Amino acid sequence: MNVPVLAETTTPKWLRVQVSAKHLEATGVYSYELTSPHGERLPAFSPGAHIDVEIGAGVVRQYSLCNPPADDHRYVIAVLLDPKSRGGSVAMHQHVQPGDFIRISEPKNLFPLTPEVPQSLLFAGGIGITPILCMAEHLAENGQRFELHYCTRSPDRTAFADRIRQSGFADRVQIHFDDGDERQRLQPEAILERADGDAHLYVCGPSGFIDLIIDTAVRADWPEQRIHREFFRAAVLPADGGTFDIQIGSSGDLIAIPADQSIVSVLAEKGIEIPVSCEQGICGTCLTGVLEGEPDHRDSFLTTAERERNDRMLLCCSRARSARLVLDL
């Protein structure tokens, strides 16, 4: 799975872009084309990358880039109107219009393609098609073997269907509808069984869909380093966990963390700003080294092996199993 790097402590750079187009891609899904107000090139990105979008005061959301990486004049994102929205998707759908100016981060990639692999298996569930479609276009352009399985509820909820049908790789894509005939339903066991012995798997979508694909791969003895995933929403975990202490490795300062506050919020009160983005444990921005103690990992970012090492943790959501954690700060 993805190998994260420790979060940087520098303030992220924000870019001012203009919404040059907005299109209805499927029921509940709008795409947005973002360009430089002065027609300048935008920072390069690689397949699987995402950007932070500042939607309003204190509201920042992450959206995958779904246009070809060769585009250097625009970014394209797609936003699903989420019935469980915390305000981000509603604001994007209702208030962000062509001609508007918004702030975004430079692209970040926590879900990269592994270079020079003989075969890639791409699985997308719903709006999870956004990074996966970018990957497919890149692989096709570079003549690499892949197949894409796209699972959606129904044809009217299938974003980018026309774009896929008109692509040069349409014969390598299978779209599976939840309300379709049983014979066209996704059969992950059969797909993984016929894959090359050194193929890599990439999956993005709702947590239940990701769990299905990854659990199938694990049962089929796929090694962890060939399984890559990206979540759009973290699993719901208990908010409490008791009190514990954080010690700052560089200064020795000891800080108490109450049961009803996150580590990042308490550190912010003490003047220690930790870069955060999703605040759900899915993006890796606040990943921080652990020098002593045992974290209580509550994220969806670290792999099982990375969690077992207990040498890093996501401060936005995780807590402590030990009475004290010494952080590499």
Side-chain angles (χ1 to χ4, degrees):
M1 295 187 185
N2 304 323
V3 179
V5 294
L6 292 182
E8 296 181 358
T9 56
T10 56
T11 302
K13 180 180 179 180
W14 290 94
L15 307 174
R16 184 172 181 263
V17 295
Q18 187 169 25
V19 180
S20 57
K22 177 180 179 180
H23 300 291
L24 184 65
E25 301 290 349
T27 300
V29 179
Y30 275 104
S31 67
Y32 300 80
E33 182 176 285
L34 311 176
T35 56
S36 165
H38 308 294
E40 300 170 340
R41 292 181 176 179
L42 295 172
F45 68 96
S46 55
H50 73 274
I51 55 174
D52 296 339
V53 177
E54 186 181 64
I55 302 169
V59 180
V60 176
R61 297 291 183 265
Q62 295 72 43
Y63 298 109
S64 297
L65 297 174
C66 55
N67 54 305
D71 290 355
D72 61 8
H73 66 288
R74 65 173 186 153
Y75 296 146
V76 177
I77 59 174
V79 181
L80 169 68
L81 184 59
D82 188 345
K84 298 180 181 179
S85 171
R86 296 174 294 139
S89 67
V90 171
M92 287 292 292
H93 275 235
Q94 295 182 357
H95 304 303
V96 178
Q97 303 298 336
D100 290 351
F101 294 92
I102 60 175
R103 292 207 312 166
I104 65 172
S105 71
E106 292 189 345
K108 313 168 188 179
N109 201 338
L110 304 173
F111 186 43
L113 281 170
T114 302
E116 300 180 1
V117 300
Q119 183 188 29
S120 298
L121 301 181
L122 311 178
F123 294 88
I127 196 62
I129 189 61
T130 48
I132 296 296
L133 181 54
C134 181
M135 290 178 171
E137 290 179 328
H138 175 80
L139 292 168
E141 183 179 348
N142 288 273
Q144 295 176 266
R145 289 180 59 221
F146 73 93
E147 58 183 85
L148 165 56
H149 294 271
Y150 181 13
C151 297
T152 73
R153 191 178 307 173
S154 57
D156 67 298
R157 293 184 176 273
T158 306
F160 304 112
D162 289 341
R163 177 171 157 187
I164 292 171
R165 293 190 189 101
Q166 296 166 12
S167 72
F169 55 85
D171 59 341
R172 286 179 270 179
V173 181
Q174 292 187 44
I175 301 179
H176 310 271
F177 300 117
D178 292 348
D179 64 358
D181 186 274
E182 186 71 27
R183 290 171 295 180
Q184 56 84 57
R185 298 287 180 87
L186 180 69
Q187 301 292 334
E189 297 90 349
I191 295 168
L192 298 182
E193 184 177 350
R194 67 172 182 260
D196 289 351
D198 46 6
H200 280 239
L201 179 160
Y202 303 84
V203 56
C204 185
S207 58
F209 176 78
I210 291 176
D211 290 344
L212 168 66
I213 302 302
I214 291 182
D215 289 348
T216 303
V218 170
R219 289 197 303 270
D221 294 325
W222 278 56
E224 192 174 49
Q225 64 268 24
R226 292 199 284 120
I227 303 173
H228 314 268
R229 84 287 186 264
E230 183 169 66
F231 289 91
F232 278 126
R233 183 185 296 117
V236 177
L237 294 172
D240 59 10
T243 61
F244 56 95
D245 291 330
I246 291 294
Q247 186 170 5
I248 306 303
S250 60
S251 65
D253 292 346
L254 202 63
I255 301 171
I257 308 297
D260 60 349
Q261 282 187 269
S262 67
I263 298 174
V264 291
S265 65
V266 175
L267 292 182
E269 292 174 358
K270 301 295 183 180
I272 304 172
E273 295 292 338
I274 304 296
V276 294
S277 186
C278 72
E279 299 184 69
Q280 299 181 77
I282 59 176
C283 75
T285 300
C286 62
L287 192 63
T288 302
V290 177
L291 302 177
E292 294 180 30
E294 182 182 0
D296 178 7
H297 297 288
R298 301 189 176 191
D299 63 278
S300 299
F301 181 80
L302 294 173
T303 67
T304 300
E306 290 162 350
R307 290 182 178 195
E308 290 174 350
R309 289 200 294 268
N310 286 326
D311 61 354
R312 57 186 67 188
M313 65 185 295
L314 272 73
L315 302 186
C316 69
C317 63
S318 296
R319 302 189 68 78
R321 295 188 184 279
S322 55
R324 180 174 62 101
L325 292 173
V326 182
L327 299 182
D328 190 11
L329 295 172

